[in-house]
Amino acid sequence: QVQLVESGGGLVQAGGSLRLSCAASGRTSGYVMGWFRQAPGKEREFVASISWSGSGTRYADSVKGRFTISRDNGKNTVYLQLNSLKPEDTAVYYCARGPNIYAATGGYDYWGQGTQVTVSS
């Protein structure tokens, strides 16, 4: 059984930064962790993923160079650093556990409740 709890969202001006955290209970060892987001009226989309070791990462083109995913396995926590934020980044951000860094959304088996990120122009 796995529980994931996101935190760190909030309201920020365009160009600003946030750091999101996802605290896990239960097993994440050996698993990929990913971040996704969903804006009102849109499909949930992939943002970033990271392997268990941290040596493998993957980013959506829309966030590459601006966002950084990392994890601290000792704390069973994954992070997403969001820099140079744009209004189009506004969404609910979710973390999830998955099988590999290339998995589609449907391949992730546990999801958090989400944290709201709002970027004002």
Side-chain angles (χ1 to χ4, degrees), residues 42-65:
K42 293 188 176 182
E43 297 284 317
R44 186 170 298 186
E45 66 175 344
F46 169 81
V47 176
S49 59
I50 185 167
S51 65
W52 165 248
S53 69
S55 62
T57 58
R58 177 181 169 230
Y59 296 92
D61 288 342
S62 60
V63 307
K64 196 172 298 180

Side-chain angles (χ1 to χ4, degrees), residues 4 10 15 20 27 39 51-52 56 58 65 69 77 81 92 94 98 111 116:
L4 305 172
L20 308 183
R27 180 170 178 164
S51 65
W52 165 248
R58 177 181 169 230
I69 189 170
T77 301
Q81 179 68 42
V92 177
Y94 301 89
W111 294 79
Q116 176 72 48

